[in-house]
Amino acid sequence: MQIYLPIAEVSVNAFLLLGLGGIVGVLSGMFGVGGGFLMTPLLFFIGIPPAVAVATEANQIVASSFSGVLAHLKRKTVDLRMGTVLLCGGLIGAAFGVVVFNYLRSMGQVDLLVKLCYVIFLGVIGGLMFIESLNAIRRSKKTGGRATRRKHNWIHNLPMKMKFRVSGLYISVIPPFIVGILVGILAAIMGVGGGFIMVPAMIYLLGMPTKVVVGTSLFQIIFVTAFTTMLHATTNFTVDIVLAVLLLIGGVIGAQIGTRIGVNMKAEQLRILLAIMVLAVCGKLAMDLLIQPVELYSLGTGGH
Amino acid sequence: MMIRLLSLLLLIALPAQAQEEIVLGLSKDEVAINTTFNGSEILIFGAIRRDSPEPEGDIGVIVTVAGPDTPVTVWRKERRVGIWVNIDGVEIAAAPSFYAVASSAALSDVLRPSQDLLNRITIPQVVREVGTNVLDSKSFARALVRIRSGSDQYQLLESAVSLTRNTLFETRVALPANLTEGDYLATIYLTRNGDVVDTYMRTIPVKKVGLERWLYNLAHENAVLYGLMSLAIAIAAGWGASAIFGLFRR
């Protein structure tokens, strides 16, 4: 069944979108990530204009992270105070990101920027995760134990300290604030929630306990992506509500199924699968940039 | 001498214009883009009316359908630091978002190049680059035609107009799914020996209707409300999913 998207101005198969939403939903449920970093490139592949894909995906992430945060609030695994600090940074970052996005759009470089961001971040995160989970599997085979992490690093010596009770931390607000800004910029440029960057940053940089990380990250992502959606909707008019609805119907159902599958798998296996997937998407995008394209020319909207 | 020549020309030209006239019909007066829109086909048909016996010369019918003109920037990629980046851009002030040319025989047989230049009928005549500082700006215009031809936005349909007894003509033009809104102009040219002897124009409005229209207007005229509505739907869907699956879990 073909559906004409009013903002993207293309006709696409509704079931294809439902299916894409579903598959990405399953994956995001399995791995506890928003799935935006997979969905946005997939939308590029099926011919949705990049500007519309990025803006609409931000809207869809609001839905999936809201659904997720409700579950975490019930289990009391959301650090609201930490979330608020991250959020303040996030809003500033998102506003800055949209400005950068619009500037590069007028220069015809937005596709490049979005794709470069994807290649770099997916490559780095995927690579690190792959190595880390391989080591974890090896370790669990050898000793069955886990190496202990260093408790104190330079981050704990910064000023403006604050108590984060739920996380059991007493640290400076500067690092979470900066993490928030960076994730906000990414959210605006890449159309992702930034969970796949925020989660490792919270664990390894801020030293937060793993059990509150996902909930807190989701809490912050709701507001940053909602803000991004509003910015894109009011400055670029690129949020396609029909596209968003189709994606999120598939997405929310898929996420619930994915959660069930995830429960029955080992954490290391899950992580290594996710890493391989991330690297695959990264590889495809990198090829597009590195190999000489068949068509050297491309069309942009005129009148800058 | 000049006056005699002019009056002679007039004598030849005048009857030629009055002799043959195009009468046109369209299968649809307008194209409505609704939610299930997946391209549309317009049947363009008509007849050539003559008050006197058919004049000499090879007859030809050319049908063009042109979408609204929009400015386009054509970018060319070059390799920089190992990756392919948009470097040069040429702004094309106006290029039709859709253009189809159908003719009753090969275009070169029914249209002289000079007449093409005058009436701007074929695709290269419609897309013209303007004021650029890039050296080979012609290749940018050609690239535009190539890319849009690839996505059926520009169509060259030679010998696609069927002409019956040199009087009745008919052709079909398929509009693709990714249509731009606006007034589309259908033009019919009647040629004799490659010279245009009569033209007829008719606009076909293409517009979004119903939900598509409403959402598009809302997104552009009331962006804040539209943004809030998108968020409300997202929040409701997120809450709904967790509530429904919460029920299943019990």
Side-chain angles (χ1 to χ4, degrees):
Chain A
M1 189 178 67
Q2 294 285 325
I3 277 204
Y4 186 85
L5 304 173
I7 306 296
E9 299 191 315
V10 289
S11 177
V12 286
N13 190 319
F15 296 115
L16 177 70
L17 288 179
L18 285 173
L20 275 185
I23 291 166
V24 173
V26 167
L27 297 174
S28 80
M30 273 168 76
F31 303 121
V33 292
F37 72 97
L38 284 172
M39 184 61 101
T40 313
L42 283 174
L43 292 178
F44 299 165
F45 296 155
I46 64 165
I48 307 285
V52 176
V54 166
T56 305
E57 188 49 27
N59 190 37
Q60 197 226 326
I61 294 166
V62 175
S64 56
S65 44
F66 189 76
S67 171
V69 98
L70 286 176
H72 283 280
L73 277 175
K74 257 179 225 155
R75 278 182 252 152
K76 296 201 166 50
T77 48
V78 183
D79 187 337
L80 289 177
R81 185 174 251 190
M82 177 64 90
T84 311
V85 172
L86 286 167
L87 178 56
C88 292
L91 295 183
I92 294 167
F96 182 67
V98 169
V99 171
V100 172
F101 188 84
N102 287 347
Y103 176 68
L104 286 159
R105 189 161 119 135
S106 70
M107 284 177 47
Q109 303 296 357
V110 71
D111 289 13
L112 173 73
L113 174 77
V114 173
K115 282 181 184 157
L116 264 186
C117 277
Y118 270 104
V119 170
I120 293 167
F121 283 99
L122 295 183
V124 170
I125 303 279
L128 287 178
M129 219 156 47
F130 188 76
I131 294 165
E132 195 264 346
S133 42
L134 261 190
N135 286 340
I137 288 177
R138 230 178 270 149
R139 261 203 311 274
S140 66
K141 272 185 190 152
K142 272 182 192 161
T143 59
R146 271 178 147 263
T148 48
R149 237 185 358 252
R150 217 159 29 118
K151 276 267 165 188
H152 278 268
N153 51 20
W154 57 273
I155 276 171
H156 296 259
N157 300 326
L158 288 168
M160 288 172 73
K161 290 201 170 186
M162 205 178 191
K163 261 208 175 78
F164 297 100
R165 197 165 302 141
V166 184
S167 307
L169 284 177
Y170 180 63
I171 57 162
S172 159
V173 297
I174 295 170
F177 191 72
I178 291 171
V179 168
I181 289 181
L182 292 178
V183 172
I185 295 175
L186 290 178
I189 294 177
M190 298 169 67
V192 295
F196 71 101
I197 292 172
M198 180 105 85
V199 169
M202 285 162 123
I203 298 173
Y204 298 114
L205 281 178
L206 307 179
M208 285 170 68
T210 313
K211 71 171 174 36
V212 300
V213 160
V214 174
T216 310
S217 142
L218 286 175
F219 167 79
Q220 189 265 2
I221 285 168
I222 294 174
F223 292 95
V224 173
T225 48
F227 184 62
T228 318
T229 305
M230 285 306 287
L231 283 177
H232 278 300
T234 52
T235 60
N236 296 330
F237 315 111
T238 44
V239 178
D240 197 307
I241 206 166
V242 176
L243 177 61
V245 166
L246 287 170
L247 291 179
L248 59 86
I249 290 173
V252 290
I253 296 170
Q256 302 290 342
I257 298 167
T259 317
R260 310 267 158 97
I261 301 174
V263 171
N264 299 322
M265 285 178 81
K266 275 189 189 155
E268 286 82 13
Q269 292 172 337
L270 275 177
R271 277 210 301 274
I272 217 160
L273 275 179
L274 178 62
I276 289 168
M277 211 164 56
V278 167
L279 288 174
V281 175
C282 168
K284 164 79 179 93
L285 288 169
M287 287 311 225
D288 290 349
L289 290 175
L290 293 173
I291 291 177
Q292 176 164 5
V294 181
E295 177 62 83
L296 282 179
Y297 295 83
S298 61
L299 305 183
T301 46
H304 25 107
Chain B
M1 179 69 194
M2 273 302 282
I3 295 168
R4 269 175 62 189
L5 200 78
L6 260 176
S7 55
L8 194 73
L9 270 174
L10 270 175
L11 272 176
I12 300 165
L14 268 178
Q17 266 187 352
Q19 244 175 13
E20 293 186 292
E21 204 185 354
I22 298 165
V23 189
L24 183 71
L26 290 173
S27 62
K28 358 183 131 170
D29 288 331
E30 61 170 32
V31 175
I33 301 181
N34 55 19
T35 317
T36 51
F37 181 76
N38 186 24
S40 180
E41 195 181 61
I42 305 180
L43 173 68
I44 298 166
F45 57 94
I48 298 152
R49 203 179 76 181
R50 296 188 185 91
D51 296 330
S52 49
E54 197 188 333
E56 291 290 301
D58 291 335
I59 191 169
V61 175
I62 304 166
V63 177
T64 66
V65 177
D69 279 339
T70 46
V72 187
T73 314
V74 183
W75 293 99
R76 183 172 58 197
K77 287 191 175 67
E78 266 171 50
R79 192 190 275 266
R80 288 288 150 90
V81 219
I83 56 172
W84 290 88
V85 190
N86 289 340
I87 301 287
D88 292 322
V90 166
E91 201 164 321
I92 291 177
S97 53
F98 174 81
Y99 196 78
V101 198
S103 55
S104 56
L107 263 176
S108 54
D109 292 345
V110 294
L111 187 67
R112 281 179 210 272
S114 59
Q115 289 283 308
D116 185 17
L117 212 60
L118 196 69
N119 293 286
R120 306 187 76 175
I121 296 172
T122 57
I123 297 169
Q125 291 303 323
V126 182
V127 180
R128 280 177 171 169
E129 76 285 5
V130 273
T132 58
N133 45 11
V134 178
L135 281 174
D136 52 344
S137 56
K138 279 210 166 43
S139 60
F140 284 80
R142 278 201 300 273
L144 173 70
V145 171
R146 190 169 62 238
I147 292 169
R148 293 216 162 146
S149 299
S151 58
D152 282 343
Q153 281 170 285
Y154 290 174
Q155 303 172 5
L156 178 60
L157 309 157
E158 283 184 310
S159 310
V161 178
S162 66
L163 189 60
T164 321
R165 278 186 285 155
N166 285 2
T167 307
L168 298 171
F169 63 88
E170 138 180 353
T171 190
R172 288 162 196 278
V173 173
L175 304 174
N178 53 347
L179 273 192
T180 308
E181 273 191 296
D183 282 337
Y184 282 57
L185 188 65
T187 314
I188 291 84
Y189 300 90
L190 177 65
T191 62
R192 283 278 176 192
N193 288 331
D195 291 322
V196 175
V197 293
D198 192 30
T199 60
Y200 187 95
M201 290 181 195
R202 175 85 81 78
T203 53
I204 310 164
V206 171
K207 48 189 174 186
K208 297 188 175 104
V209 294
L211 185 67
E212 306 285 311
R213 171 87 271 147
W214 186 73
L215 287 174
Y216 184 85
N217 283 353
L218 190 68
H220 282 83
E221 287 157 20
N222 224 330
V224 176
L225 185 69
Y226 178 83
L228 289 175
M229 190 172 83
S230 317
L231 289 181
I233 290 175
I235 298 280
W239 178 80
S242 104
I244 290 168
F245 279 87
L247 283 179
F248 278 127
R249 221 164 276 160
R250 258 172 232 164

